[in-house]
Amino acid sequence: MRHVADIPHPAAKITLFSWNGKYLIKLEKGPLEQTYKVSEMDVSSDADVRELLDEEFLQAAVQRFDLMWQDLQAAMERHDLF
């Protein structure tokens, strides 16, 4: 896996990788992560992948982190683990 770039964002750590014919967009916030795969055949360069990371996409991803955290908390409580 080749590290392509770290993309600054105030709400999540964003890292772009290239691996096995795909770009991987990895977003991390605390103990949670989201990974999106984009085929290198669908874009002409990593610049195209960066264009996907517009405000609408990133806002939805950050909201998804909140939902993921709520799901994890609910599961922990159901099993008396928290």
Side-chain angles (χ1 to χ4, degrees), residues 14-78:
I14 304 172
T15 311
L16 181 60
F17 297 98
S18 177
W19 180 70
N20 203 23
K22 295 178 180 64
Y23 286 104
L24 280 67
I25 305 165
K26 182 176 176 183
L27 294 91
E28 298 175 80
K29 185 175 180 184
L32 305 171
E33 70 178 46
Q34 300 173 46
T35 302
Y36 298 86
K37 297 177 183 178
V38 178
S39 173
E40 289 180 354
M41 304 281 284
D42 294 337
V43 294
S44 60
S45 69
D46 63 281
D48 287 347
V49 177
R50 291 171 193 245
E51 284 188 40
L52 295 174
L53 303 177
D54 62 12
E55 189 57 35
E56 186 175 346
F57 177 87
L58 293 174
Q59 195 171 49
V62 169
Q63 289 175 346
R64 194 167 297 109
F65 276 125
D66 293 338
L67 294 172
M68 291 169 67
W69 181 252
Q70 290 171 17
D71 292 343
L72 180 59
Q73 293 296 318
M76 301 273 288
E77 288 175 11
R78 279 194 308 274

